[in-house]
Structure formats: structure tokens, C-alpha cells
Amino acid sequence: SQTIHQWPATLVQPVGSPLSLECTVEGTSNPNLYWYRQAAGRGLQLLFYSVGIGQISSEVPQNLSASRPQDRQFILSSKKLLLSDSGFYLCAWSQGAEIYGYTFGSGTRLTVV
Amino acid sequence: GEDVEQSLFLSVREGDSSVINCTYTDSSSTYLYWYKQEPGAGLQLLTYIFSNMDMKQDQRLTVLLNKKDKHLSLRIADTQTGDSAIYFCAESPYSSASKIIFGSGTRLSIRP
């Protein structure tokens, strides 16, 4: 069966420090991968998605970047965090056919202080 | 453009029915979804409906789709305290391959 792992679950980082959040998927190959951010009390904002290794589409200009070094690995990064980067970050995957929608990871709560 | 809108809050009494409404803009959407997010957790797919269907029922959940008005609703019968969560409506637009567009979420709270 397919599983998605996202870590860490909680992170507190100072302003100006770097960030690396990792997401991996098991039990499938060539998944579509997504990073979402959910700010406090708000909906989901799609940050990046990837349909293959090395292929990254950015949805909104921001302080973050994404990489997909392996088929089932998706990394969200920042060189210097801003206070506004605080939020709940969700990784998700899909198999391309949208009938089952996305499967989400358990999320990372990032607080920039 | 692609947009999904839903009200932010809904409060119902335990045992009553909850109806969460959603409107979307892309008439070419093939699938529409309802996701549930419990506090501090990721989103779980509750149910989905294909665009050529008007209604789908799954135990306590009933999804109604009005394609003419681009309106989707989720009805939860006999609402329980465990149903407290944020419910997201989402669409899969034909024009945006591989992407699902989410609404802002409706926070459902249950009164005793």
C-alpha cells in the first residue's frame, strides 16, 4: 500500500535561518507531488508541484524553493526564513488520474520566531 | 479563472444534519471532492463525485452537485462531536492537469 511520510512534525526556527522539509512517498512510482501551505485560520495555498524528477512548477512567488532529487522525494527549502513563512506545511501526492484526489501527509507546523 | 468558495464557519447541534456548501467556477471540472481536516492533522479524502452525477450517498454523507449553478454541498446526517473539523471543497479543473483547487475550508463546530 502507498504511504506518505513528512517530517519533522513541528519546527521552530529563528528568522534568517535555513529550512529543509522532506516528504517521501512509498509504494508507488512516478507520483505527482505537491507542497501546500496553510496559514493560521486560512485555506490551502499551493506552493509547488512536480510531475517528475527535476520538474518543479512554482505557483506563487515567495521565499521558498522546492526540489525533487528522487522520484519519490520532495523537499521544500529556504535559505533565509521570514516571519511570514510561519504556517502549516502539507505535502501530498497523486497518481495523475484525479479520481482519488490527493493523499496528504500529516503536516509540519513551522513557527518562525 | 479557477476558484472555489465556501463559508468559513458552521455551527450545528449534535444530532442535527450539517450542510456545507461550496461554489466553483470551472464548469469543465471532472471531479469534485470533500476533504476533512482534524486539528493538527493533514487532509483526508471524505468523498468525491464525478461531474456527470447529481448525487452520491455514503453512509451519513450525501453529496449533491448542481452543475448548472456550479454548486456542491455536503450533508452530514446525525452530526456527532467527532465530525468537528474543517471541511474543504475541491475541484479538479480540466484546464489544470494534475492540480486540484481547494476552497478555504469550512470549520464545523458541534453544540451539545
Short mmCIF file of all heavy atoms in Angstrom, two decimals, chain B residues 1-2 26 32 34 39 54 56 83 106:
data_model
loop_
_atom_site.label_atom_id
_atom_site.label_comp_id
_atom_site.label_asym_id
_atom_site.label_seq_id
_atom_site.Cartn_x
_atom_site.Cartn_y
_atom_site.Cartn_z
N GLY B 1 -11.23 32.11 -14.51
CA GLY B 1 -10.22 31.53 -13.66
C GLY B 1 -10.80 30.46 -12.77
O GLY B 1 -11.99 30.20 -12.78
N GLU B 2 -9.92 29.84 -12.03
CA GLU B 2 -10.35 28.76 -11.16
C GLU B 2 -10.49 29.28 -9.75
O GLU B 2 -9.58 29.89 -9.20
CB GLU B 2 -9.31 27.63 -11.20
CG GLU B 2 -9.00 27.14 -12.60
CD GLU B 2 -7.56 26.72 -12.74
OE1 GLU B 2 -6.79 26.91 -11.79
OE2 GLU B 2 -7.23 26.19 -13.80
N ASP B 26 -15.08 26.56 -12.46
CA ASP B 26 -14.69 25.89 -13.70
C ASP B 26 -15.70 24.81 -14.07
O ASP B 26 -15.74 23.75 -13.47
CB ASP B 26 -13.30 25.28 -13.54
CG ASP B 26 -12.69 24.90 -14.88
OD1 ASP B 26 -13.44 24.46 -15.77
OD2 ASP B 26 -11.47 25.03 -15.04
N LEU B 32 -15.13 16.45 -8.25
CA LEU B 32 -15.24 17.39 -7.13
C LEU B 32 -15.13 16.58 -5.85
O LEU B 32 -15.60 15.43 -5.78
CB LEU B 32 -16.55 18.16 -7.20
CG LEU B 32 -16.61 19.04 -8.45
CD1 LEU B 32 -17.82 18.73 -9.29
CD2 LEU B 32 -16.57 20.51 -8.09
N TRP B 34 -14.66 16.35 -1.35
CA TRP B 34 -14.74 16.88 0.01
C TRP B 34 -13.65 16.22 0.85
O TRP B 34 -13.55 15.00 0.89
CB TRP B 34 -16.11 16.61 0.64
CG TRP B 34 -17.19 17.50 0.13
CD1 TRP B 34 -18.18 17.18 -0.76
CD2 TRP B 34 -17.40 18.88 0.47
NE1 TRP B 34 -18.97 18.28 -1.00
CE2 TRP B 34 -18.53 19.32 -0.26
CE3 TRP B 34 -16.75 19.78 1.32
CZ2 TRP B 34 -19.01 20.63 -0.16
CZ3 TRP B 34 -17.23 21.07 1.42
CH2 TRP B 34 -18.35 21.49 0.69
N PRO B 39 -7.95 18.74 13.79
CA PRO B 39 -6.93 19.67 14.33
C PRO B 39 -5.52 19.10 14.28
O PRO B 39 -5.26 17.98 14.73
CB PRO B 39 -7.41 19.88 15.77
CG PRO B 39 -8.88 19.65 15.73
CD PRO B 39 -9.09 18.57 14.71
N ASP B 54 -25.41 13.59 -10.09
CA ASP B 54 -26.11 14.62 -9.34
C ASP B 54 -26.01 14.41 -7.84
O ASP B 54 -26.08 15.37 -7.07
CB ASP B 54 -27.60 14.62 -9.71
CG ASP B 54 -27.82 14.94 -11.17
OD1 ASP B 54 -27.05 15.76 -11.71
OD2 ASP B 54 -28.75 14.38 -11.76
N LYS B 56 -24.47 11.62 -4.60
CA LYS B 56 -23.73 10.44 -4.14
C LYS B 56 -23.95 10.30 -2.64
O LYS B 56 -23.83 11.28 -1.90
CB LYS B 56 -22.25 10.56 -4.45
CG LYS B 56 -21.43 9.36 -4.03
CD LYS B 56 -19.97 9.54 -4.41
CE LYS B 56 -19.16 8.33 -4.00
NZ LYS B 56 -17.72 8.49 -4.34
N ASP B 83 -17.37 14.76 14.30
CA ASP B 83 -17.43 15.41 12.98
C ASP B 83 -16.84 16.82 13.03
O ASP B 83 -16.70 17.45 11.98
CB ASP B 83 -18.87 15.49 12.49
CG ASP B 83 -19.48 14.12 12.23
OD1 ASP B 83 -18.75 13.22 11.75
OD2 ASP B 83 -20.68 13.93 12.52
N THR B 106 -14.42 25.09 5.57
CA THR B 106 -15.49 25.47 6.49
C THR B 106 -15.25 24.77 7.81
O THR B 106 -15.17 23.54 7.86
CB THR B 106 -16.87 25.05 5.94
OG1 THR B 106 -17.10 25.71 4.70
CG2 THR B 106 -17.97 25.38 6.93
#
